[in-house]
Amino acid sequence: MNREIYLHTGFLPSSFSMYAMSLSSGLFLLEKPAWAVAVAAVGVILGWPFSILAFLLLTFYSLAKQFKQAFLSGAVTSIALLALSVLVDHCYYQRWTSYVFNLLAYNVLGGGESHLYGTEGPLFYIRNGFNNFNFCFILALLFLGILPNCKEKKFQGGFKNCFGPKLWANLNGIFLYPIYPLVCVAASAVIESFPDLFRDKYNPYDNSIIVMMAKFLRPVALSLILCASHSRTFSLINGYAAPMEVYKILEHHDDAGTGDRDSV
């Protein structure tokens, strides 16, 4: 008898906030601060409330550029989502409550054991960042050093790349999970800026030997990052694929009886 196996995915609030962070940052870099703030509110309220730390500087920068539009966009979105959230919670729990407040109260105001799953020191973020992003993480950290040398470059269609100081507004929470995709953006900014570090600032067309070598380093750095990343991916698939392999084998077995474990 054939057995159909269904794999269900779970809604991870921090992952939703990560997607919102990517979209909000893109809108911000495309000169749409009001939309960026609205998406940020969605990511914080519907996703992971603690991700507000990653959105703070981006929000302040957006308010500085277009205060009225950005403020109204964020306020309307936040009020609408909070009201909807409270109504849904009341429908299911039969009492007026807010999951956003409950989460903050439990973890911040001392309502629960925030260290329930253990705590780590500052070096944990460095080790974890390098483990997940290898050389890309190191380049992202170097972004602070090359920030003064970053320049905005305009492409066809009026799009400006994110290699200018505006990118810093998106990277203030670089050790928070929702901002992980932007680590790659910061690393790409550093790789793109390699020639600018050696080019004569008074001669934008400088093509000296050292500048040409810096241009050559860009594909080399990218290749190292890709090789290390693919190696980690293949290692995870090879070392942690047992649950998926079990599902593949189960379809070749008859249905097991209640409490019968030997047949599977």
Side-chain angles (χ1 to χ4, degrees), residues 13 16-17 20 38-56 59 78 81 99-100 103:
F16 181 83
S17 295
V39 173
V42 173
V44 171
I45 297 174
L46 293 187
W48 193 41
F50 297 110
S51 65
I52 190 175
L53 296 175
F55 286 105
L56 273 181
T59 301
S78 299
L81 291 177
Y99 86 93
V100 175
L103 181 64

Side-chain angles (χ1 to χ4, degrees), residues 173-188:
I174 198 168
F175 294 114
L176 293 175
Y177 170 74
I179 207 172
Y180 274 9
L182 298 182
V183 172
C184 299
V185 178
S188 67

